Amino acid sequence: MSFADRIVAANELIWSIPLIALCLLAGLYFSLRTGFLQVRHLPDMLSQLKKGKESEDGTSSFQSLMMSLAGRVGMGNIGGVATAIAFGGPGAVFWMWTSAFLGAATSFVESTLGQIYKEKDPDTGEYRGGPAYYFEKAYQHKARGLSLAYGILFAVVTILAMSFFLPGVQANGMASAINNAWGVPTWVTAIGLVILLAFIVIGGVKRIAHFTVVVVPTMALLYVIIALVVFFLNFTDIPRVFSLIFGSAFGAQPVFGAILGLAVKWGVQRGIYSNEAGQGTGPHAAAAAEVSHPAKQGFAQSFAVYVDTLFVCSATAFIIISTGMFNTFSGETWPSDVIHEGHGGLSTDVEPGPGFVQQGLDSVFPGAGPTFIAIALSFFVFTTIVAYYYMAETNLNYLTRKMKNRLAARGMQRVLQALVLVSVAYGAVTTAGSAWGLGDIGVGSMAWLNIVGILFLQGPAMKALKDYREQKRQGLDPQFDPRKVGIEGATFWELRADGKLQEGAADGGTPEKQLDRG
């Protein structure tokens, strides 16, 4: 069996029906358990975008949201949507929407846990957190050995996924789009991308935050605006677009009836790949935020799921379907037999990916489509890879944070940086199929571990949500003390609550500094 065949086999094993069902059912369960907070607390989500300030050690809620979106908005929003439509039909878009709506509740739970169990980096003083941290700390007083082992397992899997499996997909999409637009060889793109990344990844979380807070919203907004222009220029096709999406989502149209299961699979798989709800990536950015209550950042990260899928992914889907620049294939690989051709007349020789979107835009803005997508995807990919590195570094920090030899720990960080850069270079010049296969393995492995884990650890997040709601009903700006709601292991917040004895300490500074002032 060749290496490519092994990738396909591993991918099919991980992304089988049980994982698809787990993602959807977990989202439905958390939605019911929280009273559909993704609707009920939409005002709280929006308020977090303008409230909160960064501190010396933490980012603002908005910066944290942008860091999270940097990891979410990438190749999955353009090439991922195209592959979902190519192999699952237009109905896959509906299942992407479904996974996003339900996943917003899952994102709240995991991101709130990330905030509850965050801690400070001993070297930089920055806030760190994520699934590895909350897996270890949530049950450290009851089953320390098991919780520690699970945390270590997640950290190792995440480091491999973020530094080896996932960056290659992003680099491959960027190199492909640039080659389609300007004929630039993929190896040239690889070199340029590696050089630019090297300047960013050594700067730490604060540099990442300041970089993404400018780039991400600008490019995402511009992309959505362009998509809306395309959509309304094809205004007469709106009924047909929605008819295709909803009809094929449930197999109502005969041509798509045979691939109904694939519509669900590809919609959920590419939805999770794009919005990352349940994958365990959002909690890393959530933990970096400076907020007065963990639920606040849970709301912000829930909104990130909406932005990613309901806005950016939908924009891509509308460009592709409204212009008819897509083909749906009978198999799950390309090339294979075509079962449906979009009305745009896209050649079956165009590989599913950025090319679908580039051709779609080009049909509306002749000569400009490939260029715009190449530029947009370059920004999206760059910020996503930067976010990947941050998450890999956070999990490496988790594994090395208690090492006495800090020089050795920093040496391991340099090795990690080199691994990410090598992965990017390789991904840019390899085949798209192999790159996507590796990426799906990384996403699926993390999702299995994280979703199963938070189903067991959901209690603290639910207690935090209840505490937030009670304080809001009293007309207060919610402040968090884990001891008052029966949460153990949240050392950071215990110190912070003690530090609030000083007036004004609730809104800025770190717990240690607040205690020093006392």
Side-chain angles (χ1 to χ4, degrees):
M1 182 181 290
S2 66
F3 179 65
D5 290 336
R6 292 180 187 276
I7 293 175
V8 172
N11 189 18
E12 290 179 348
L13 177 63
I14 292 173
W15 279 103
S16 55
I17 292 177
L19 181 55
I20 302 297
L22 178 66
C23 293
L24 290 175
L25 293 177
L28 177 60
Y29 169 75
F30 288 132
S31 296
L32 293 170
R33 182 79 193 277
T34 61
F36 284 91
L37 67 85
Q38 59 266 64
V39 177
R40 179 178 175 181
H41 285 282
L42 187 58
D44 294 284
M45 296 179 191
L46 296 174
S47 69
Q48 291 309 307
L49 304 185
K50 59 184 179 181
K51 291 182 179 179
K53 300 178 181 179
E54 71 173 309
S55 70
E56 181 180 339
D57 307 304
T59 63
S60 69
S61 288
F62 182 73
Q63 287 176 327
S64 181
L65 174 65
M66 291 304 106
M67 288 171 60
S68 176
L69 283 174
R72 299 177 200 264
V73 179
M75 178 61 175
N77 297 81
I78 296 179
V81 176
T83 56
I85 294 173
F87 302 120
V93 176
F94 171 83
W95 292 105
M96 290 184 75
W97 292 339
T98 301
S99 71
F101 177 74
L102 298 177
T106 304
S107 182
F108 171 85
V109 173
E110 63 179 355
S111 298
T112 300
L113 287 171
Q115 261 287 329
I116 291 173
Y117 295 107
K118 70 180 179 181
E119 61 183 46
K120 287 188 63 178
D121 186 301
D123 292 329
T124 65
E126 297 168 346
Y127 299 152
R128 299 281 191 178
Y133 291 83
Y134 56 67
F135 287 145
E136 176 186 340
K137 292 184 174 185
Y139 280 140
Q140 64 182 353
H141 301 295
K142 299 178 182 178
R144 179 169 177 78
L146 179 61
S147 60
L148 177 60
Y150 203 80
I152 291 174
L153 175 62
F154 184 88
V156 171
V157 169
T158 301
I159 290 171
L160 290 174
M162 294 292 115
S163 65
F164 178 70
F165 290 115
L166 285 162
V169 181
Q170 303 294 328
N172 184 274
M174 176 179 174
S176 174
I178 290 177
N179 180 261
N180 291 338
W182 306 309
V184 178
T186 55
W187 65 268
V188 174
T189 301
I191 293 175
L193 182 56
V194 166
I195 292 174
L196 289 174
L197 282 171
F199 283 104
I200 296 294
V201 298
I202 63 176
V205 61
K206 299 301 287 293
R207 180 180 294 182
I208 294 172
H210 289 129
F211 177 77
T212 58
V213 78
V214 175
V215 174
V216 173
T218 302
M219 289 308 303
L221 180 61
L222 181 60
Y223 184 72
V224 171
I225 290 174
I226 293 295
L228 288 174
V229 171
V230 172
F231 191 54
F232 286 106
L233 285 176
N234 293 278
F235 188 81
T236 57
D237 286 334
I238 291 178
R240 184 185 54 81
V241 170
F242 282 98
S243 175
L244 271 175
I245 291 176
F246 287 99
S248 59
F250 299 98
Q253 299 183 6
V255 68
F256 296 112
I259 62 169
L260 174 58
L262 291 179
V264 180
K265 176 189 174 183
W266 280 94
V268 174
Q269 184 174 339
R270 286 291 173 259
I272 299 299
Y273 191 101
S274 177
N275 62 54
E276 301 180 357
Q279 183 186 338
T281 51
H284 297 92
E290 180 75 68
V291 291
S292 66
H293 197 286
K296 292 182 176 181
Q297 191 53 209
F299 295 137
Q301 296 303 321
S302 292
F303 187 71
V305 175
Y306 284 162
V307 172
D308 175 273
T309 303
L310 300 185
F311 295 160
V312 185
C313 283
S314 294
T316 299
F318 290 155
I319 290 174
I320 293 174
I321 300 175
S322 67
T323 60
M325 289 298 183
F326 71 95
N327 294 303
T328 298
F329 301 89
S330 60
E332 293 193 69
T333 57
W334 177 86
S336 58
D337 293 335
V338 178
I339 64 171
H340 179 81
E341 293 185 18
H343 68 277
L346 180 69
S347 170
T348 57
D349 293 332
V350 178
E351 185 173 7
F356 280 21
V357 194
Q358 289 178 306
Q359 292 297 316
L361 272 184
D362 198 52
S363 68
V364 179
F365 306 109
T371 294
F372 176 76
I373 294 300
I375 294 173
L377 192 56
S378 295
F379 279 107
F380 289 159
V381 162
F382 188 73
T383 55
T384 297
I385 296 175
V386 170
Y388 284 170
Y389 167 72
Y390 167 67
M391 286 179 277
E393 182 189 79
T394 296
N395 283 274
L396 178 64
N397 174 270
Y398 167 81
L399 296 176
T400 63
R401 70 194 194 283
K402 296 181 181 178
M403 288 179 58
K404 294 182 179 180
N405 189 338
R406 302 312 300 169
L407 182 62
R410 285 192 290 272
M412 295 175 68
Q413 181 182 8
R414 298 305 181 202
V415 172
L416 177 65
Q417 292 170 348
L419 180 61
V420 171
L421 297 178
V422 170
S423 175
V424 166
Y426 173 74
V429 299
T430 194
T431 62
S434 295
W436 273 111
L438 288 173
D440 285 334
I441 290 172
V443 171
S445 300
M446 291 177 64
W448 265 116
L449 291 172
N450 185 60
I451 295 177
V452 170
I454 63 176
L455 283 170
F456 283 98
L457 302 182
Q458 60 183 283
M462 299 304 170
K463 291 178 180 178
L465 177 60
K466 180 180 179 181
D467 179 60
Y468 177 90
R469 286 172 172 171
E470 289 179 349
Q471 292 191 52
K472 287 287 285 186
R473 279 195 292 268
Q474 297 171 18
L476 303 174
D477 178 21
Q479 308 293 323
F480 187 63
D481 184 345
R483 293 163 295 193
K484 291 183 178 180
V485 294
I487 296 177
E488 296 181 310
T491 308
F492 171 88
W493 286 98
E494 291 177 2
L495 289 172
R496 190 183 192 282
D498 292 339
K500 289 198 299 182
L501 293 174
Q502 287 291 319
E503 184 178 357
D507 297 323
T510 65
E512 291 80 354
K513 291 175 181 176
Q514 299 300 336
L515 290 174
D516 288 343
R517 283 201 293 269

